[in-house]
Amino acid sequence: MSSMDIERLKMSGAGRAMAVLTSGGDAQGMNAAVRAVTRMGIYVGAKVYLIHEGYQGLVDGGDNIKLAHWHSVTNIIQLGGTVIGSARCKAFPTREGRLAAAYNLVKKGITNLCVCGGDGSLTGANIFRSEWTGLLDELVKKGRITDEVAKQHSHLNIVGLVGSIDNDFCGTDMTIGADSALHRIMEIIDAIMTTAQSHQRTFVLEVMGRHCGYLALVSALASGADWVFIPECPPPEGWEDNMCARLEGSRNKGSRLNIIIVAEGAIDSNGKPISSTYIKDLVVKRLGLDTRVTVLGHVQRGGTPSAFDRILSSKLGMEAVIALMEASPDTPACVIGLSGNHVVRLPLMECVELTKMVQMAMNEKRFDEAVQLRGGSFQNNWNIYKLLSIQKPAQTQSNFSVAILNVGAPAGGMNAAVRSAVRVAVAHGHKVYAVHDGFLGLANGDIFEMKWHDVAGWTGQGGSLLGTKRTLPNKNIEKIVENLGKFSISALLVVGGFEGYEGLLQLYEARGQYEELCIPMCIIPATISNNVPGTDFSLGADTAVNAAMAGCDKIKQSASGTKRRVFVVETMGGYCGYLATSTGIAVGADAAYIYEEPFNIHDLKTNVEHLAEKMKKDIQRGLVLRNEKCHENYTTDFIHRLYSAEGKGVFDCRVNVLGHLQQGGAPSPFDRNFGTKLGVKAIQWISEKLTESFRQAGRVFSNSPDTACVLGINRKVVSFIPVTELKAVTDFEHRMPIVQWWFNLRPMLKMLAKYQTSFCEYIPGEIEHVTRRSISIDAGY
Ligand code: ADP
Ligand code: ADP
């Protein structure tokens, strides 16, 4: 956002009142949304109210509607659930209820409302908005408000944020809470797999999602489950035989366990529910396998929000305030959604209608239409799941051999990419070679054939199972060429980081000298630093941000009960500030120093003064992130000393270097699926290039630039960009792309962390610090 935009926003925000509430089922990330709405609201000069207990609080009014201060939303970003409470409210769907709600808003002068909830809550919000004039007329008639007050509040602006773990809302790629729910599900599946393995058990896992199969489908993809039941795609008649044959087949091939995932709304093709106990009884009766059912239930809503949900909610929350400030009487209610990594405004009612149409299609057994309405990404997930879950014999052998290697440091999702690439290549009839230890292994002939079952269970594994090295190919090019010839390798797939990209470029540039290098080559970017040109995201970045965030959460917590303390935390990333910036937003850091945004001693001074100021009030902790190579002289140690000296008497300072824990152990659900999808895409591309080359030349001979590419995702579009083209947009010295999209997240980090606004009127008694409520534990969980 430019400074002009901010000034304009501040002008429209000054003196206006807005409120935020959370409604319906809670979802992780709602707190981050409440924090962002509150702080952005205050930032633009509005008066912000927090409405407790959802619509119930709005209907009841009184103490439920509280003026918020900047500090009211301190230290809540890492909490699950919603600290302002949520409720199912019987009164709000009635006119009486909404009349009371309207009165309560007008009484506080609030005409801007942000509702964070599912489709039910958003439908309610839209009805409320469309009835607003009528409600005020009625209040005037009843003598509860004057004509003049009604005129002053004649329009209610509504903006919705979709908070739902189910990811069941049309229009947005992701709803708030869905990614965190996947984290919980994967943690449980990973845990169950170890016990299933020990006892050779079959597990039937039931996951939430009401009538939407998203969570079940994506977790099946991320765990390589044997079978998945989702409401949108009921299994064809006779599925019992098919499923049992599949389970038996996998056991015969040596598998010690089976995982079956069932969405809670799973149905058969006649619309009859398929329950987890039915499946269990079937497996026991037909196959005699030791089988257990686990119903995941409310744990899926629980726990800390994932980094993605915290960042998503922060982005959406800030945009919600801008949308409210920009709304005019004729702007229809909108919902803020995500498309790729972009925030979008969508007409609320159209999205709700579309969402309802999915349900209608399912009720009327138009299942193909239901899948289509869920969107391209849903269909893609389903197709890829089907493609990878069972080995189908290749129709013909292709005579092509594909070699796969990892290059650079390990990154979450690398193994998932290798697994899917191996399987798809086998399905295409190619011979697949795994190369150990990157380009060095290719030079040393550390090359082995891989089959479908060799990669079983790889999706959830961290590190690099192939073995990875940073060594570039140029020193060993002769030996590499020799091995390419010896093994008749007709295509190369690299899964790796910046060295992988640089290495591919070297191989491409040596094509003139060696014909063996005239083969299709592709790199799937995989590095925790997210610094490979040609893609918005690299594999492993999501896992790393989650790991760094979890580390910072613990570091922050360690200070509770001690004296005032500022932590300086050093992150990895080389010169690239993506990891520090994303982690900074996810943990609500006070600052994140990165190389790309030069800073000097004045900036350090301003930040230290800001922290000292903060600490003099009721804040106990500060967190400052520093990317490892952000400044040659202002080292982590320097910043530590500076903060220690300047904070003397107010706070003390401690340093933590996060180090290799940022590589993250088990990959995040997103990286498992991202890797799986990229592996499929890469092999499809390689196969096309091989066929094309063979058709044209009668042999494999690829020497055009478009046959040595980076496989990237850019604004949601999968693209293969020639490495030569990317040369011009690469800063080789600092090992990163010259332009980085995430840079526009920087202002957000600062605006959400620092209190620097015009509205800071403190009304004693009205402002409450939101504290974590005791979580009521649902029956069973
Ligand atoms: P979600 O928002 O997660 O879909 P619900 O459907 O339970 O959850 O909705 C939450 C609350 O929103 C309800 O308890 C009710 O107060 C309100 N609500 C839902 N649907 C409507 C509606 N059609 N009209 C008015 N209020 C509604
Ligand atoms: P697709 O099949 O279109 O690649 P996905 O269902 O995997 O889509 O994800 C939907 C969108 O949400 C993608 O555009 C992706 O960029 C984004 N997304 C979802 N989860 C994450 C995450 N944890 N980190 C980054 N982006 C995410």
Side-chain angles (χ1 to χ4, degrees):
M1 216 183 300
S2 71
S3 59
M4 223 178 79
D5 291 338
I6 293 169
E7 285 321 307
R8 196 172 44 79
L9 269 176
K10 281 190 171 176
M11 272 167 65
S12 59
R16 284 168 76 170
M18 53 175 287
V20 53
L21 64 84
T22 51
S23 168
D26 65 332
Q28 306 97 324
M30 279 182 162
N31 289 323
V34 169
R35 170 180 179 268
V37 171
T38 305
R39 293 201 163 168
M40 184 66 181
I42 293 173
Y43 187 88
V44 300
K47 256 183 170 183
V48 182
Y49 288 89
L50 299 175
I51 301 175
H52 291 243
E53 318 305 341
Y55 286 130
Q56 195 62 51
L58 188 58
V59 171
D60 295 345
D63 263 0
N64 289 302
I65 307 178
K66 290 193 178 102
L67 186 65
H69 188 258
W70 187 266
H71 293 153
S72 310
V73 288
T74 289
N75 215 15
I76 65 168
I77 195 167
Q78 74 280 14
L79 303 178
T82 160
V83 291
I84 56 172
S86 181
R88 311 256 183 213
C89 169
K90 289 215 175 77
F92 197 71
T94 67
R95 170 122 183 144
E96 239 67 353
R98 293 193 292 274
L99 193 69
Y103 177 70
N104 288 329
L105 285 183
V106 170
K107 222 166 56 177
K108 301 264 185 202
I110 303 167
T111 50
N112 299 284
L113 182 63
C114 174
V115 174
C116 181
D119 55 346
S121 307
L122 299 183
T123 309
N126 197 58
I127 294 174
F128 191 42
R129 181 186 187 275
S130 53
E131 280 182 357
W132 184 255
T133 318
L135 292 170
L136 293 202
D137 285 348
E138 196 174 330
L139 288 172
V140 172
K141 261 194 218 120
K142 289 192 165 148
R144 298 189 69 191
I145 61 170
T146 63
D147 236 350
E148 204 187 333
V149 169
K151 266 201 203 96
Q152 279 165 1
H153 300 88
S154 58
H155 297 288
L156 176 70
N157 299 318
I158 294 264
V159 169
L161 298 177
V162 198
S164 157
I165 64 162
D166 303 343
N167 206 22
D168 56 353
F169 196 80
C170 293
T172 183
D173 284 352
M174 292 293 279
T175 56
I176 293 171
D179 187 59
S180 304
L182 284 173
H183 274 256
R184 289 304 91 75
I185 296 172
M186 291 320 302
E187 283 156 18
I188 293 166
I189 297 182
D190 285 354
I192 273 183
M193 276 182 153
T194 57
T195 159
Q197 171 91 14
S198 314
H199 292 271
Q200 302 200 40
R201 276 188 178 138
T202 294
F203 268 90
V204 182
L205 296 162
E206 186 180 311
V207 303
M208 277 186 165
R210 281 193 285 188
H211 304 292
C212 179
Y214 176 85
L215 291 178
L217 175 56
V218 175
S219 42
L221 197 56
S223 61
D226 294 279
W227 198 276
V228 61
F229 293 93
I230 55 172
E232 294 85 349
C233 311
E237 299 267 350
W239 63 266
E240 286 93 339
D241 299 337
N242 276 342
M243 187 188 78
C244 290
R246 167 101 54 103
L247 300 184
E248 204 170 21
S250 87
R251 290 290 177 120
N252 289 343
K253 289 205 174 84
S255 165
R256 291 175 58 88
L257 77 163
N258 299 111
I259 300 285
I260 300 167
I261 297 180
V262 195
E264 62 180 343
I267 46 176
D268 67 15
S269 51
N270 298 314
K272 195 171 140 247
I274 300 178
S275 72
S276 32
T277 41
Y278 176 75
I279 299 165
K280 177 197 156 205
D281 293 344
L282 181 77
V283 176
V284 173
K285 202 167 101 205
R286 294 261 191 106
L287 303 174
L289 295 174
D290 185 1
T291 307
R292 303 294 152 109
V293 171
T294 299
V295 180
L296 268 55
H298 287 77
V299 282
Q300 292 161 91
R301 286 192 191 286
T304 188
S306 67
F308 178 77
D309 273 328
R310 297 185 195 185
I311 298 170
L312 173 71
S313 304
S314 304
K315 283 204 256 195
L316 301 188
M318 286 182 71
E319 181 67 19
V321 173
I322 300 174
L324 283 174
M325 294 305 123
E326 288 179 353
S328 72
D330 349 295
T331 328
C334 74
V335 56
I336 313 291
L338 180 79
S339 174
N341 52 25
H342 292 268
V343 173
V344 287
R345 286 185 206 174
L346 305 154
L348 190 148
M349 253 356 259
E350 274 173 39
C351 295
V352 170
E353 290 309 326
L354 213 59
T355 305
K356 288 196 177 128
M357 274 165 67
V358 186
Q359 188 55 47
M360 226 140 67
M362 283 196 282
N363 292 346
E364 291 163 13
K365 304 201 180 72
R366 288 177 280 118
F367 295 110
D368 288 345
E369 201 180 319
V371 172
Q372 214 175 1
L373 286 167
R374 284 264 184 251
S377 163
F378 192 94
Q379 284 180 52
N380 192 25
N381 284 330
W382 179 237
N383 291 336
I384 292 182
Y385 174 75
K386 286 190 294 186
L387 181 71
L388 296 174
S389 61
I390 178 133
Q391 178 170 14
K392 293 170 199 79
Q395 310 214 303
T396 46
Q397 289 306 310
S398 70
N399 291 327
F400 297 130
S401 308
V402 181
I404 306 178
L405 58 153
N406 289 162
V407 175
M414 269 185 162
N415 299 321
V418 173
R419 166 185 174 265
S420 69
V422 167
R423 290 196 164 179
V424 176
V426 168
H428 276 80
H430 308 324
K431 192 168 196 176
V432 185
Y433 287 115
V435 181
H436 294 173
D437 297 338
F439 290 120
L440 194 65
L442 195 55
N444 293 339
D446 209 349
I447 300 168
F448 301 87
E449 194 180 343
M450 291 281 261
K451 294 273 172 49
W452 182 281
H453 287 285
D454 295 334
V455 287
W458 279 35
T459 325
Q461 306 274 329
S464 155
L465 293 169
L466 288 185
T468 183
K469 282 259 183 312
R470 289 183 186 276
T471 324
L472 288 169
N474 56 354
K475 294 194 186 75
N476 297 308
I477 209 113
E478 300 265 338
K479 280 164 80 187
I480 287 177
V481 166
E482 193 187 312
N483 281 324
L484 290 178
K486 186 170 147 199
F487 288 86
S488 304
I489 290 168
S490 31
L492 211 55
L493 172 60
V494 175
V495 182
F498 198 86
E499 291 89 354
Y501 156 70
E502 243 184 319
L504 220 60
L505 200 54
Q506 290 178 356
L507 294 182
Y508 171 81
E509 286 173 350
R511 272 180 174 177
Q513 288 154 270
Y514 306 100
E515 197 177 313
E516 288 84 347
L517 293 172
C518 296
I519 54 174
M521 304 182 217
C522 166
I523 170 165
I524 294 179
T527 159
I528 67 164
S529 308
N530 202 20
N531 62 340
V532 178
T535 188
D536 289 345
F537 290 106
S538 63
L539 273 180
D542 184 56
T543 302
V545 176
N546 276 291
M549 174 194 86
C552 290
D553 282 353
K554 290 187 184 114
I555 290 166
K556 264 168 79 177
Q557 184 135 46
S558 79
S560 66
T562 63
K563 48 190 170 178
R564 299 196 156 105
R565 179 164 283 177
V566 173
F567 292 98
V568 176
V569 178
E570 185 185 294
T571 65
M572 283 183 164
Y575 284 98
C576 177
Y578 175 80
L579 190 54
T581 302
S582 305
T583 308
I585 296 168
V587 297
D590 296 279
Y593 296 114
I594 61 168
Y595 170 79
E596 294 91 334
E597 191 175 320
F599 59 96
N600 56 29
I601 193 68
H602 300 292
D603 301 302
L604 290 173
K605 184 170 166 276
T606 313
N607 279 339
V608 91
E609 281 167 3
H610 155 71
L611 272 169
E613 206 46 46
K614 217 172 103 166
M615 297 277 171
K616 280 182 194 154
K617 298 190 187 124
D618 46 356
I619 304 291
Q620 298 281 327
R621 281 163 291 242
L623 187 82
V624 174
L625 291 175
R626 182 190 174 278
N627 177 43
E628 57 183 353
K629 290 194 174 169
C630 68
H631 201 288
E632 203 182 342
N633 298 312
Y634 300 144
T635 59
T636 303
D637 184 48
F638 175 89
I639 293 181
H640 171 214
R641 284 161 191 262
L642 178 80
Y643 275 64
S644 299
E646 296 299 314
K648 220 173 200 125
V650 187
F651 59 81
D652 65 10
C653 184
R654 293 286 185 275
V655 171
N656 285 269
V657 178
L658 291 178
H660 288 82
L661 72 78
Q662 290 161 93
Q663 282 174 2
S668 69
F670 177 78
D671 277 331
R672 295 180 195 203
N673 285 340
F674 193 34
T676 303
K677 288 179 197 172
L678 294 184
V680 174
K681 292 270 181 231
I683 295 295
Q684 284 170 344
W685 177 87
I686 283 176
S687 300
E688 274 166 32
K689 293 285 164 198
L690 284 171
T691 319
E692 206 176 283
S693 165
F694 203 75
R695 206 180 38 233
Q696 285 167 3
R699 65 193 172 110
V700 178
F701 183 79
S702 311
N703 67 347
S704 55
D706 67 347
T707 54
C709 291
V710 169
L711 163 50
I713 293 276
N714 295 288
R715 296 192 159 224
K716 269 179 96 168
V717 180
V718 176
S719 42
F720 288 85
I721 309 179
V723 281
T724 40
E725 254 177 49
L726 291 170
K727 224 174 142 177
V729 294
T730 307
D731 172 354
F732 283 97
E733 189 191 342
H734 300 104
R735 302 156 48 83
M736 61 168 115
I738 291 169
V739 178
Q740 305 189 83
W741 69 269
W742 53 264
F743 214 67
N744 63 20
L745 298 177
R746 299 282 299 169
M748 177 164 117
L749 187 145
K750 291 177 201 162
M751 284 157 84
L752 291 179
K754 263 193 203 165
Y755 179 64
Q756 46 175 211
T757 171
S758 50
F759 175 70
C760 53
E761 185 186 341
Y762 187 90
I763 305 169
E766 250 206 295
I767 297 165
E768 179 229 30
H769 181 86
V770 179
T771 48
R772 184 149 170 70
R773 63 191 51 252
S774 58
I775 301 167
S776 61
I777 305 207
D778 241 286
Y781 282 94

